[in-house]
Amino acid sequence: MNTRRRFIDRLQALAVMAPLFVFIYLPVVTLVLFSFHAGQVPVPPFEGPSLEWYQRVLGNDRVTGATLASVVVGVLSSALATGLATLAAWGLARHRVPGRRFVEALLMLPLAVSYLVIGVGLLVALSALDVSRSLWSVGIGHVVLNLPLAFVVVVGQFDAAQVRLEHAARDLGASESQVFWRVTVPLLRPAIVAAFLLSLTFSWDEFIVSFLLSGFDPTLPVVIWGMLRSGLNPQTNAVGTMVFGVSLLAAVMFELTLLRQAGRNPDASRR
């Protein structure tokens, strides 16, 4: 009886979840499928498979230039956001900071604010400072967006076991800088890597802030938007598939890093 009941429960869960997964992943599957479409217009019936559109994308200087710009902006802004988030998390976790909860709320506030509002605010602020729109301004915007994400990932990994190890290092004569670089950072390395990968994932395909702050050197999402203005074509699907593939790879690496950290530190994962 119990076996039959579990079987019915699983069927009911599958009946609820199946339409949800179809709704989420059908557009992605369609995008990937028609990136290999041999025809000029990405509409059924499917013709192919063909790598023609990937060859055209890789031979398009504007697309490859924007891809390089996205990689540079993503890596540098994610590294800076992760570094600042790590320092902020360490300072709040290891020192008595007046108004700590208020500071944490300020650090995480951008998570609750629309990207459009943040982008417009940064555009006005940078214009008032006479800073022209460029990849540098896009990088600043991505640091603002990704710092709260990195902070949430890193701050959750501070625990009592690390405090004991840091105290032991101080008792053995280590300075504060030595404790930080030789004890704290190695213990936080999986969380720092995970925060960097998560930030890179968001930066890689972020559009709104990049569109508002980029100048004559746009990032890849902005170039894709420009391609879509002339209508759908398999080349756009090929670019979108490449963006999705990179985002998926970074997301998988992020999850694997978190699982590795949880395996090493089960107490922190339960919190």
Side-chain angles (χ1 to χ4, degrees), residues 15 27 58 77 90 125 131-132 135 143 149 168 176 179 184-185 230 234 245 250-251:
L58 295 177
S77 65
W90 175 75
V131 176
S132 60
L135 291 179
V143 170
L149 296 171
E176 283 298 324
V179 171
T184 306
V185 171
S230 60

Side-chain angles (χ1 to χ4, degrees), residues 174-250:
S175 64
E176 283 298 324
S177 61
Q178 291 175 325
V179 171
F180 179 77
W181 289 110
R182 297 186 181 183
V183 179
T184 306
V185 171
L187 290 173
L188 292 175
R189 185 177 293 115
I192 293 173
V193 173
F196 173 80
L197 291 173
L198 181 63
S199 299
L200 182 62
T201 302
F202 276 80
S203 178
W204 168 249
D205 57 7
E206 195 283 322
F207 169 73
I208 297 177
V209 172
S210 299
F211 176 75
L212 292 172
L213 299 182
S214 62
F216 295 103
D217 297 314
T219 58
L220 187 56
V222 178
V223 170
I224 294 176
W225 175 79
M227 296 170 63
L228 288 172
R229 296 181 65 185
S230 60
L232 294 175
N233 62 75
Q235 187 173 222
T236 306
N237 291 346
V239 179
T241 300
M242 294 168 62
V243 172
F244 171 73
V246 173
S247 299
L248 180 63
L249 177 63

Side-chain angles (χ1 to χ4, degrees), residues 6 68 83-84 96 129 137 160 197 230 233:
R6 287 197 297 268
L68 178 60
L84 293 175
R96 294 182 179 274
L129 295 174
S137 58
L197 291 173
S230 60
N233 62 75

Side-chain angles (χ1 to χ4, degrees), residues 61-269:
D61 293 338
R62 181 170 175 79
V63 173
T64 54
T67 302
L68 178 60
S70 291
V71 171
V72 172
V73 170
V75 171
L76 294 182
S77 65
S78 299
L80 181 57
T82 303
L84 293 175
T86 301
L87 293 175
W90 175 75
L92 291 174
R94 293 292 183 264
H95 298 84
R96 294 182 179 274
V97 179
R100 172 183 172 181
R101 297 299 181 186
F102 178 72
V103 175
E104 289 183 351
L106 284 180
L107 286 171
M108 293 185 288
L109 183 61
L111 294 175
V113 180
S114 168
Y115 280 15
L116 179 60
V117 174
I118 294 176
V120 172
L122 286 171
L123 179 60
V124 173
L126 293 176
S127 298
L129 295 174
D130 199 24
V131 176
S132 60
R133 297 191 301 167
S134 64
L135 291 179
W136 288 104
S137 58
V138 174
I140 293 173
H142 285 189
V143 170
V144 173
L145 296 178
N146 291 328
L147 197 153
L149 296 171
F151 176 78
V152 170
V153 174
V154 175
V155 75
Q157 300 304 316
F158 285 92
D159 57 17
Q162 293 178 358
V163 174
R164 290 192 293 270
L165 290 174
E166 292 172 359
H167 285 328
R170 293 188 185 94
D171 292 339
L172 293 173
S175 64
E176 283 298 324
S177 61
Q178 291 175 325
V179 171
F180 179 77
W181 289 110
R182 297 186 181 183
V183 179
T184 306
V185 171
L187 290 173
L188 292 175
R189 185 177 293 115
I192 293 173
V193 173
F196 173 80
L197 291 173
L198 181 63
S199 299
L200 182 62
T201 302
F202 276 80
S203 178
W204 168 249
D205 57 7
E206 195 283 322
F207 169 73
I208 297 177
V209 172
S210 299
F211 176 75
L212 292 172
L213 299 182
S214 62
F216 295 103
D217 297 314
T219 58
L220 187 56
V222 178
V223 170
I224 294 176
W225 175 79
M227 296 170 63
L228 288 172
R229 296 181 65 185
S230 60
L232 294 175
N233 62 75
Q235 187 173 222
T236 306
N237 291 346
V239 179
T241 300
M242 294 168 62
V243 172
F244 171 73
V246 173
S247 299
L248 180 63
L249 177 63
V252 170
M253 293 175 64
F254 167 73
E255 290 294 337
L256 291 176
T257 304
L258 286 186
L259 289 175
R260 180 184 177 187
Q261 174 72 4
R264 289 184 173 184
N265 193 358
D267 293 335
S269 65

